[in-house]
């Protein structure tokens, strides 16, 4: 049988120190990972192309224009393409519906 001495207060404090150093190392790892994620998010935001001023939303087939939107309109959906101001005005003149949320006809000065 192995006889050992009782743990002293100093032994317990050294044990606590090792545990806390491990916790500190883990926390620093979390911080480093979060800093990497934040840097990647910023790089992605900077590399993202600017939002176009005017957008034409395409139908399911991808050929028929459905709505004209102000760029950045949350209702534009996923099938859209950015267009210049004159093309947006022309689309409205050709009876492509204006988005009822962002009202590009008002922004473009094309009212019925």
């Amino acid at each position: 049988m192995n006889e050992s001495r009782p743990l002293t207060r100093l032994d317990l404090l050294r044990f606590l120190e090792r545990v806390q150093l491990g916790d500190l190392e883990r926390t620093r790892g979390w911080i480093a990972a979060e800093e990497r994620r934040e840097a990647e998010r910023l790089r992605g935001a900077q590399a993202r192309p600017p939002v176009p001023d005017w957008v034409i939303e395409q139908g399911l087939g991808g050929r028929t224009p459905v709505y004209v939107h102000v760029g950045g309109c949350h209702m534009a959906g996923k099938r859209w393409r950015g267009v210049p101001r004159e093309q947006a005005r022309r689309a409205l003149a050709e009876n492509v519906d204006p988005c009822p949320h962002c009202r590009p006809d008002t922004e473009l000065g094309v009212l019925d």
Side-chain angles (χ1 to χ4, degrees), residues 66-77:
V66 178
Y67 284 113
V68 176
H69 297 272
V70 173
C73 175
H74 68 280
M75 297 300 290

Side-chain angles (χ1 to χ4, degrees), residues 33-49:
E34 189 61 32
E35 287 172 341
R36 285 190 300 274
R37 281 191 292 274
E38 181 66 16
E40 180 62 29
R41 187 193 64 74
L42 289 174
R43 278 192 302 277
Q46 291 169 347
R48 189 173 300 123

Side-chain angles (χ1 to χ4, degrees), residues 17-34:
E17 179 184 37
R18 285 192 307 275
V19 169
Q20 289 179 330
L21 285 173
D23 288 346
L24 180 59
E25 186 176 322
R26 185 173 47 252
T27 301
R28 286 179 175 159
W30 291 338
I31 290 169
E34 189 61 32

